[in-house]
Each structure stands twice: as C-alpha cells, then as structure tokens.
C-alpha cells in the first residue's frame, strides 16, 4: 500500500501522512503534565482531614488541641517544607542540603528555607548522590542533624554503599561509641504517570533488608509533617520516602504546632471484620477506592484498612491483630512483586497467624519488569487489581 501511494499518488501520500501526523498530535495535551503527576480520587478521599476539627480529632494529635488548636491548609510538599522549617528553627545543629535545595528543589519542598535560615544551613551540593550521603554521614558523626535530599529515589542507588555499609553500620561497628543517628535522607519516590524507568521507582525493599536504618513513607500532609519531624529527631539513620504524586494532590488542614507521629506504629484507618487490607504511601488511596467498590458489590463485606506508615520497623502486631479477626489479608505496593516488602509481611503473618487464615494471602504489586513508560497503566496495582484481590480472598 505504501509503495502504491509513493509511486502513483505522491501528493495523496503526503496528505495522508500529514493527516496521520496531525491526528497523532491530537493525542497529546497542549501542556505537559505537572512534574508531580495526577492522582484521581485523592481529592475526594475520606482519609484526608479537611477541617481543623477532623485534623485534631486524631488521638495521636489530641494533645495539640488544648495547647494550640491552630491549623493551616497545606498540600504534601508544603507540609514537608513546614517540617523542615520547624526542624531548622528548633535545632541549631540542623542543616538541609542536596541538589538544588537552596532555591526550593525540583518540587519546591525547600522553598524559602535558605532565605530564612541562611545559605550556610540550607545549601546546594554537586550532582553526586554518593557524595551527598557521605557528607551527611560525616556531619552526623560529629554531632549535626543532617537532612539530605536525593532528588529522585531512582538515583539513590549510587549512594547505596554509603547507606548500607557506612550509615547503617556506624554505631554497630564502633560498639556504640559513635553513631550517625542524626542523618535523615529525604527522597521523592513512586509513579507520577509519565516518569518512565528513572523517575518512578519505589525502592523501600532494598533498604528494608538492611539492619541499622529505618524506612518511612507517609500518605498525607499531616502524616508527612509528623513523621518527618520524628525521623529527623530519631537517633537512627532514616530513609524518608515521599510519594511525589501526592505533593500537590493531597491537601489537609495541618496543625501549625511542632508535633511528631510515632515511628514503627501502623495506623488503622478503617475498621472492618472480613478482610484486612494493608498498604502505605500512595497505595492507600487506591486501596480505599477498592474497598468502597468491594463493599458496594459484595453484600455484607466489611474491610479493615491499615497504613503501615513505617516500613522499618514493621508494626506486625497491628497487622496480625487484624488478621486474627478477619482471617483474610490483601497487601499492595507499587514496587515489583518478587522480593517486595509484601513478601516480608506475608511471611511474618504466616508465622504468627497461620491457623487463623481463611484464604491464601494476596499480594497486589508492580510487575517484575523495569518500570514502563507507555505501559504504566498496566504496571500499576490500581483500584481494579486491588478489588479483584479482595474479591478473591472473600470468595475462596
């Protein structure tokens, strides 16, 4: 067909090609998507606290209502910024550093900090992740609170040796004489809808395998501020993973007071009796929607939703307490299935609650492939895949 067009009707061929090109162009938006991506459903989530009363009703924040009940509407990255500002204001040894942080960073999470606290405390580094973490280890070793930013979690791997062989082992190898507990490594992670191989990965399982570091991933602005302040002040190195698609999508009334949320403690977001559903970070919203669909379509179904919040240390007691009640468990995360953290949760639950299980545990995860660009929608553990897993354990 192409040969006929070329030899007998060159003008028609040109018009056809041009029309096809114009049609292809219409597949693209006039403006590029925002760097932090889109996440449908978050704006309507019942998990986000949209009023001061809802925000301060949380038992973990109850003490704030008496001392200072003031809140401010913040999105996720503004809550991170607020936490960093609080840390810098309350700890004169604290410093924030990384690629481009002095003018706000790629996602504006450090905006205004250099102007407020000085460029000797909020400063840029060369583009060297190994150097950033190594520098942070050195600062923490001599008593500073070092808050490092790795611009994207996908690029944390050049610093893997520094984290795993230096930061994680510093206290142990010195017999407790020295430590780098003042080190916190912040990094944006997970899918955004258009990140492809190198701006979409969720690497929590790599570091969960390493004794000596804590791993945290919040789901919302209130959680982000409280967990980040707790991570900065914890006397262990912490890797703080920030789902970048939530930076502007998740908005809450956030207490302006200085507060911390506990590390190593999961949160039960919704009580239920028939299926335990576990996740963290962005996945919580997909699980919320999957639960709503399942409870609407399956008469009498009641699901319990748990946000781990802290991957390491894992609050397995909360998970098993729920599984002992429901007898069924679904776990979801964006990272690939093989060797993913869902496997660790599965093993721990099998060891503790095997006789209470009514169905095989279901893991809903990314596929065992490099993170795709064109096929991201097929890769993601979306609402439908999570719903299918809930339905499967219910019907077993």
């Amino acid at each position: 067909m192409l040969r006929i067009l070329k030899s007998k009707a060159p003008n028609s061929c040109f018009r056809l090609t041009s029309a096809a090109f114009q049609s292809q162009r219409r597949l693209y938006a006039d403006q590029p998507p925002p760097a932090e991506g889109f996440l449908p459903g978050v704006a309507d989530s019942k998990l986000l606290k949209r009023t001061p009363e809802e925000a301060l009703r949380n038992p973990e924040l109850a003490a704030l209502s008496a001392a200072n009940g003031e809140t401010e509407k913040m999105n996720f990255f503004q809550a991170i910024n607020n936490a960093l500002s609080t840390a810098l204001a309350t700890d004169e040894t604290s410093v924030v550093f990384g690629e481009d942080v002095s003018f706000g960073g790629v996602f504006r999470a450090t905006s205004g900090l250099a102007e407020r606290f000085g460029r000797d405390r909020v400063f840029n580094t060369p583009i060297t992740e190994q150097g950033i973490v190594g520098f942070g280890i050195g600062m923490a070793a001599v008593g500073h609170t070092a808050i490092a930013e790795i611009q994207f979690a996908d690029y944390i791997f050049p610093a893997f040796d520094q984290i795993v062989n230096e930061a994680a082992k510093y206290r142990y190898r010195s017999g407790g004489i020295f430590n780098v507990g003042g080190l916190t490594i912040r990094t944006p992670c997970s899918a955004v809808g258009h990140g492809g191989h190198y701006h979409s990965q969720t690497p929590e399982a790599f570091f969960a395998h390493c004794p000596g570091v804590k791993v945290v991933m919040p789901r919302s602005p209130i959680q982000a501020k409280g967990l980040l302040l707790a991570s900065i002040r914890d006397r262990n190195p912490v890797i703080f993973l920030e789902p970048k698609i939530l930076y502007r999508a998740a908005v809450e009334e956030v207490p302006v007071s200085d507060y911390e949320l506990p590390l190593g403690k999961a949160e039960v977001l919704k009580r239920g009796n028939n299926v335990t559903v576990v996740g963290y970070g962005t996945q919580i919203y997909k699980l919320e929607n999957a639960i709503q669909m399942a409870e609407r379509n399956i008469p009498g179904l009641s699901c319990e939703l748990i946000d781990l919040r802290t991957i390491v240390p894992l609050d397995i007691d909360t998970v098993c307490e729920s599984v002992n009640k429901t007898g069924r468990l679904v776990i979801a995360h964006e990272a690939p299935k093989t060797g993913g953290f869902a496997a660790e949760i599965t093993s721990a639950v099998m060891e503790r609650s095997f006789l209470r299980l009514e169905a095989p545990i279901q893991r809903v995860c990314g596929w065992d492939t490099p993170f795709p660009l064109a096929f991201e929608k097929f890769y993601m553990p979306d609402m439908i895949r999570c719903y299918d897993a809930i339905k499967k354990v219910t019907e077993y």
Side-chain angles (χ1 to χ4, degrees):
M1 182 66 177
L2 286 176
R3 285 195 298 271
I4 294 171
L5 287 170
K6 185 175 180 181
S7 60
K8 296 185 177 181
N11 293 333
S12 298
C13 178
F14 175 79
R15 286 195 297 271
L16 177 63
T17 305
S18 178
F21 176 73
Q22 294 296 330
S23 174
Q24 184 69 18
R25 285 185 62 188
R26 287 195 291 272
L27 295 176
Y28 295 91
D30 293 334
Q31 299 294 329
E36 71 280 358
F38 299 104
L39 186 60
V42 174
D44 300 321
S45 173
K46 296 179 181 179
L47 302 176
L48 295 173
K49 313 303 180 184
R50 295 181 175 83
T51 67
E53 293 75 20
E54 285 182 318
L56 297 170
R57 197 177 297 145
N58 185 333
E60 294 175 338
L61 301 177
L64 293 176
S65 60
N68 183 358
E70 184 181 356
T71 66
E72 183 178 330
K73 187 176 181 179
M74 301 182 196
N75 60 28
F76 195 102
F77 90 79
Q78 289 169 330
I80 294 292
N81 183 280
N82 189 263
L84 293 172
S85 180
T86 301
L88 289 163
T90 56
D91 179 1
E92 63 181 12
T93 72
S94 61
V95 291
V96 173
F97 53 93
E99 298 162 14
D100 304 326
V101 300
S102 70
F103 64 80
V106 171
F107 298 103
R108 319 316 294 167
T110 54
S111 294
L113 298 181
E115 290 77 8
R116 180 178 175 187
F117 297 101
R119 298 187 183 278
D120 58 337
R121 297 185 64 195
V122 182
F123 50 88
N124 293 336
T125 65
I127 302 175
T128 167
E129 288 77 15
Q130 184 178 19
I132 292 169
V133 175
F135 178 78
I137 290 169
M139 291 206 75
V142 296
H144 281 273
T145 298
I147 308 168
E149 179 184 300
I150 301 297
Q151 198 167 79
F152 289 90
D154 312 67
Y155 298 110
I156 201 169
F157 298 113
F160 198 79
D161 177 66
Q162 288 294 314
I163 295 169
V164 172
N165 280 332
E166 303 299 336
K169 297 175 173 61
Y170 210 90
R171 179 184 282 116
Y172 184 84
R173 69 178 180 144
S174 70
I177 299 174
F178 307 108
N179 72 84
V180 292
L183 174 64
T184 302
I185 303 169
R186 295 179 42 249
T187 185
C189 69
S190 304
V192 293
H194 55 268
H197 306 330
Y198 302 120
H199 296 84
S200 305
Q201 297 175 75
T202 311
E204 72 277 4
F206 289 97
F207 300 104
H209 189 67
C210 175
V213 295
K214 295 186 177 183
V215 184
V216 180
M217 189 187 298
R219 71 174 184 274
S220 72
I222 290 174
Q223 297 292 314
K225 178 179 176 179
L227 291 171
L228 181 53
L229 282 169
S231 298
I232 291 169
R233 293 164 178 168
D234 191 89
R235 292 299 89 189
N236 294 280
V238 179
I239 297 174
F240 193 85
L241 298 165
E242 301 168 9
K244 53 187 175 286
I245 200 168
L246 297 178
Y247 274 142
R248 288 173 174 78
V251 180
E252 288 185 304
E253 287 288 333
V254 179
V256 298
S257 300
D258 182 345
Y259 68 92
E260 299 176 28
L261 293 173
L263 303 183
K265 180 62 179 175
E267 183 179 6
V268 180
L269 301 176
K270 177 186 177 299
R271 297 289 178 179
N273 299 315
N274 305 121
V275 182
T276 299
V277 182
V278 175
Y280 46 86
T282 309
Q283 201 62 32
I284 289 296
Y285 301 101
K286 299 171 186 176
L287 291 171
E288 178 191 22
N289 291 331
I291 287 170
Q292 291 172 355
M293 179 184 290
E295 291 181 343
R296 187 167 57 247
N297 294 337
I298 304 173
L301 180 66
S302 171
C303 297
E304 186 150 295
L305 177 59
I306 298 175
D307 178 7
L308 290 183
R309 302 194 291 186
T310 306
I311 290 104
V312 178
L314 169 63
D315 182 7
I316 193 61
D317 291 338
T318 295
V319 176
C320 286
E321 181 181 350
S322 178
V323 172
N324 288 340
K325 174 178 62 175
T326 66
R328 299 170 179 86
L329 176 60
V330 173
I331 311 161
H333 59 60
E334 285 188 23
K337 185 175 184 178
T338 300
F341 198 67
E344 177 61 29
I345 301 170
T346 298
S347 177
V349 170
M350 289 289 286
E351 291 172 351
R352 294 169 176 236
S353 302
F354 175 72
L355 295 177
R356 304 300 293 271
L357 288 170
E358 301 288 346
I361 297 170
Q362 296 298 302
R363 292 177 290 159
V364 189
C365 311
W367 304 116
D368 291 335
T369 69
F371 199 101
L373 178 59
F375 299 110
E376 179 174 316
K377 290 183 179 179
F378 301 100
Y379 177 91
M380 296 295 290
D382 61 10
M383 176 186 69
I384 299 300
R385 288 178 59 196
C386 293
Y387 166 78
D388 287 341
I390 294 171
K391 188 171 182 285
K392 185 174 181 178
V393 297
T394 302
E395 296 177 345
Y396 182 78

